[in-house]
């Protein structure tokens, strides 16, 4: 079988679809909330209350302008946990 221009178009189409799927399913790049000493209480709160909104209330005790300013280019910062996922921890 001869490979004509239409076949190449088809191959290109498949490639494009694949690229889109891969880019959507790719790992989210926003940093996760570390599972360390500072963040242990947050994981504890989430486990106890099951509420991300409750958990987020503690974030700004440390992540505020005075102690640990967020990067200057940080996006609007209400609802931390929409963007910064908690790591999965065994219950
Ligand atoms: C007790 C203070 C404290 C609290 C409360 C706290 N953090 Fe942090 N956070 C830190 C410190 C210190 C670091 C930097 C060192 C580290 O990784 O622990 C940090 C780092 C981070 C980082 C960057 C991690 C990285 O990979 O660079 C993210 C994201 C973060 N915190 C999110 C949160 C969120 C969301 C909450 C609320 C659920 C929160 N933090 C509550 C002290 C705190
Ligand atoms: C709209 C999404 C969004 C929300 C809401 C958000 N962040 Fe971020 N945050 C980002 C992005 C994007 C970055 C850039 C660096 C990265 O984490 O990949 C960032 C960076 C950070 C960093 C610095 C990480 C480093 O590189 O050391 C910290 C700490 C942090 N955020 C904490 C918070 C806290 C605390 C809140 C809630 C008060 C919050 N963020 C809410 C998207 C968000």
């Amino acid at each position: 079988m001869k490979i004509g221009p239409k076949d190449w178009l088809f191959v290109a189409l498949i490639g494009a679809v694949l690229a889109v799927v891969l880019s959507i399913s790719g790992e989210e790049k926003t940093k996760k909330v570390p599972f360390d000493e500072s963040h242990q209480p947050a994981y504890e709160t989430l486990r106890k209350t099951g509420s991300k909104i409750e958990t987020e209330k503690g974030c700004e005790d440390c992540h505020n302008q005075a102690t640990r300013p967020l990067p200057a280019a940080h996006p609007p910062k209400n609802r931390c946990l929409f963007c910064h996922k908690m790591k999965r921890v065994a219950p």
Side-chain angles (χ1 to χ4, degrees):
M1 172 186 119
K2 195 171 166 297
I3 298 181
K6 272 207 184 130
D7 298 309
W8 285 117
L9 202 68
F10 185 65
V11 169
L13 197 73
I14 304 258
V17 169
L18 243 142
V20 169
V21 168
L22 285 179
S23 69
I24 291 173
S25 67
E27 178 78 24
E28 289 175 61
K29 283 179 212 68
T30 309
K31 285 186 173 143
K32 297 207 163 118
V33 180
F35 185 62
D36 59 11
E37 224 174 296
S38 326
H39 299 89
Q40 196 93 42
Y43 282 87
E44 208 36 42
T45 307
L46 182 63
R47 199 173 57 76
K48 278 210 210 100
T49 65
S51 159
K52 290 188 178 171
I53 294 182
E54 276 312 307
T55 307
E56 281 161 350
K57 287 182 183 158
C59 305
E60 283 183 283
D61 290 352
C62 303
H63 296 281
N64 57 43
Q65 230 29 51
T67 48
R68 296 191 60 86
L70 298 176
H74 195 278
K77 66 184 167 70
N78 46 332
R79 301 307 323 268
C80 314
L81 298 181
F82 267 165
C83 303
H84 300 284
K85 303 289 182 204
M86 308 284 275
K87 292 182 178 163
R88 287 220 172 277
V89 218

